[in-house]
Amino acid sequence: MTNTGRLETFCDGVFAIAITLLVLGIRVPAANEDVGASLIAQWPTFLAYLISFVTIGIMWVNHHRLFALIDKSNPTFAYINVGFLLFVAFVPFPTELMAAQLGAGSLAGQRVAMVLYCGTFFAIAIMFNAIWLYAASGARLLRPELDLEALRVGARRFAIGPPAYLIVTLLAVVNPYVSLALVGLLAIYWMLPGSAPDTAPAP
Amino acid sequence: MTNTGRLETFCDGVFAIAITLLVLGIRVPAANEDVGASLIAQWPTFLAYLISFVTIGIMWVNHHRLFALIDKSNPTFAYINVGFLLFVAFVPFPTELMAAQLGAGSLAGQRVAMVLYCGTFFAIAIMFNAIWLYAASGARLLRPELDLEALRVGARRFAIGPPAYLIVTLLAVVNPYVSLALVGLLAIYWMLPGSAPDTAPAP
Amino acid sequence: MTNTGRLETFCDGVFAIAITLLVLGIRVPAANEDVGASLIAQWPTFLAYLISFVTIGIMWVNHHRLFALIDKSNPTFAYINVGFLLFVAFVPFPTELMAAQLGAGSLAGQRVAMVLYCGTFFAIAIMFNAIWLYAASGARLLRPELDLEALRVGARRFAIGPPAYLIVTLLAVVNPYVSLALVGLLAIYWMLPGSAPDTAPAP
Amino acid sequence: MTNTGRLETFCDGVFAIAITLLVLGIRVPAANEDVGASLIAQWPTFLAYLISFVTIGIMWVNHHRLFALIDKSNPTFAYINVGFLLFVAFVPFPTELMAAQLGAGSLAGQRVAMVLYCGTFFAIAIMFNAIWLYAASGARLLRPELDLEALRVGARRFAIGPPAYLIVTLLAVVNPYVSLALVGLLAIYWMLPGSAPDTAPAP
């Protein structure tokens, strides 16, 4: 058993790098291109940057809120977090793929790209809940003074993630643009108060 | 409410990565090129590296000074910082675009590139003030022992950022080189004492 | 003599960046390619991402466990860690090389690539033991309250790393695919309890 | 005046990223190339990776040793560190340039590349001394209990950096290979005890 300091530093590092690498997916027009037209034609790249950045940013905030409840770590918990980061660090790839397909690909290509994009967030949502369940099961790693009953209420809304992203992933087969819009809406939903278990004192 | 430790770590990570990714925008000449001539022809890339690096570096110092005044965080404050980082992490893209255009592009391309470059700093300046206003409004997140009146004096000079970068962005339509010079001058201005609210003890 | 805080921060940073750079080795199909077929043909890239990510992740966890035993640092110890990081930061290169060769290379190319890939983990395992031996020799840098006898038991299993990766490296000359499978199995082995000296209290 | 915690985190981040980005300068052979021959032909790239990694690593250790003497920071000190990082983060560019030229360039190209490579370390050495001189001047930012006389002895050997790298830079015009060897030797020299002011207690 150790404290969570270094695990948080490592997770913060991976989050910060993955979110900053997103910019490398935006193509710089060659010097002899029409810059304005080239940037406008690249609109899906900018949209993809925005949605992925905000989604990763919110996942980071919620990871941070979750760890505010936790006061110790062990190797198993660290491994679960590594599994979580496996998908967080993967996000720049489906982001760039999706942007390339939305801009110029076939409908079939857009479907594959969007399934991979939404599927990555589905996997992240599952791992997020695995982190929470491992830490909260029997209050294993939680700070002792917390009100478990209040936390369960928050966790219930928190558990919406996996089914929500599963539906969005399945919808991507039907209409990739609807799925992209829903990923954006889900990002806004996670920002609402009460969407994650919080340290609010019990009444 | 949590302390600001992990938010600062995350912001520092994004700042450090964005500032270090700038070097990837400098093209390594092929082995059979005339290296000296190639490096000289790339002078706008080096200038862009210098100005963006110093500007991001100063923004980091001022973010650091700001957070020295703040002693707690909440999810909304974290989201505002994510919005701020959205533009900080974006800087390598307009930097590379601007360098490519200054080196070989048309005047129209240089205008578009420089508007995007200066516009990014305009957005950063707005978000910077949003961070400050949210934290300082009703002294919401500030350290209790601070002299609010003294801070307001510092904040006034601090609020120069958005209009200054807006003017520089508009000027980029007229003359991109003048705007670039002004971005460099603004960087020097932000280094002057008194350009940000500081922890100096009240008299 | 200083505490280990900043050495850990630096190591965590390199680990986090190396693990996150792995995603840059996955090629985004061009907009006019058949996306599904292209991703399937790239299966070794995804497998390489998975195995390298998990292996680096586990090395990080074990580095973290090791440092939980250590309470001070000195320049020599820092240099040994820099030597360790030299190989950790190198991992993205043989990972990408191996993935490219498994996908389309000749058997000779696959052998070279896999020897370099496994050889990098061999070097990491050696440096890992060097870190441990320097810190533990005469209990030089260890926390004073630790039970050295109990640690020696853990360290014995820990010392399996170098010979195990040497065998895997040599096997790569015979059959690269068997070596890759063994690297994956070794990653699982390192996750088992007792594979590293731990802070468990002595009985 | 603030403590140095966040400045160190930021510097550590830039060091860690710059050192890890070096691996991106190593070209992965295409699937249909002769992998072994291609890697051997790339030997200057591996040598460049080794020398730059070790040099940055040692600079980090010495930065760390320096900051162990310092207990507070101010904006000016932060700006000097940003200037120092400007050159640290630049190292991947001359490293890749130098490796490309040593492998296949003309002697003229090798001279230009090596002057830029050694000149970058010259600039870093100057900034390193600027950090030290600003902090130590009038003991401005030093920990109060330090023996200033003992520190001056260490600082004297420390001040060897700028003239040493200046000579190496000038020699690069005559013979780039001799300069590269000397950069490697200097790295070893900085690892020797006593090459930086240290916290050793005064006698």
Side-chain angles (χ1 to χ4, degrees), chain A residues 47-59:
Chain A
L47 186 64
Y49 175 78
L50 178 68
I51 294 180
S52 289
F53 196 101
V54 171
T55 304
I56 295 182
I58 291 165
M59 292 189 300

Side-chain angles (χ1 to χ4, degrees), chain B residues 33-161:
Chain B
E33 280 183 69
D34 179 337
V35 180
S38 171
L39 294 183
I40 290 168
Q42 256 203 94
W43 67 266
T45 313
F46 293 102
L47 186 64
Y49 175 77
L50 177 69
I51 293 181
S52 289
F53 196 102
V54 171
T55 304
I56 296 182
I58 291 165
M59 292 188 302
W60 173 78
V61 173
N62 280 333
H63 192 262
H64 177 32
R65 288 161 82 179
L66 202 62
F67 270 69
L69 309 174
I70 294 173
D71 76 336
K72 50 189 186 294
S73 176
N74 64 30
T76 303
F77 189 61
Y79 293 131
I80 296 172
N81 273 279
V82 169
F84 169 69
L85 295 174
L86 178 74
F87 296 104
V88 171
F90 187 67
V91 169
F93 174 72
T95 299
E96 198 175 337
L97 178 69
M98 183 264 282
Q101 288 300 315
L102 285 198
S106 63
L107 180 59
Q110 291 173 359
R111 281 175 179 153
V112 173
M114 194 58 78
V115 165
L116 194 66
Y117 184 68
C118 301
T120 303
F121 290 127
F122 172 53
I124 291 172
I126 287 178
M127 293 308 299
F128 213 118
N129 279 274
I131 291 173
W132 167 249
L133 290 175
Y134 182 83
S137 156
R140 194 180 339 225
L141 305 173
L142 299 185
R143 282 163 46 198
E145 74 277 20
L146 294 171
D147 176 334
L148 284 173
E149 200 43 60
L151 287 177
R152 252 169 234 131
V153 176
R156 217 171 295 151
R157 295 189 62 181
F158 193 56
I160 294 167

Side-chain angles (χ1 to χ4, degrees), chain B residues 154-176:
Chain B
R156 217 171 295 151
R157 295 189 62 181
F158 193 56
I160 294 167
Y165 282 112
L166 179 60
I167 291 168
V168 170
T169 304
L170 296 175
L171 273 177
V173 181
V174 184
N175 189 323

Side-chain angles (χ1 to χ4, degrees), chain A residues 91-180:
Chain A
V91 169
F93 173 72
T95 300
E96 198 175 336
L97 178 69
M98 184 264 283
Q101 289 299 315
L102 286 198
S106 63
L107 181 59
Q110 291 173 359
R111 281 176 178 152
V112 173
M114 195 58 79
V115 166
L116 194 66
Y117 184 69
C118 300
T120 302
F121 290 127
F122 173 53
I124 292 172
I126 287 178
M127 293 309 298
F128 213 117
N129 279 275
I131 292 173
W132 167 249
L133 290 175
Y134 182 83
S137 156
R140 196 183 336 228
L141 305 174
L142 299 185
R143 282 163 48 198
E145 74 277 20
L146 294 172
D147 175 334
L148 283 173
E149 201 43 59
L151 286 178
R152 250 169 233 130
V153 176
R156 216 171 295 150
R157 296 189 62 182
F158 192 56
I160 294 168
Y165 282 111
L166 179 60
I167 290 168
V168 169
T169 304
L170 295 175
L171 274 175
V173 181
V174 184
N175 190 324
Y177 289 88
V178 168
S179 282
L180 184 59

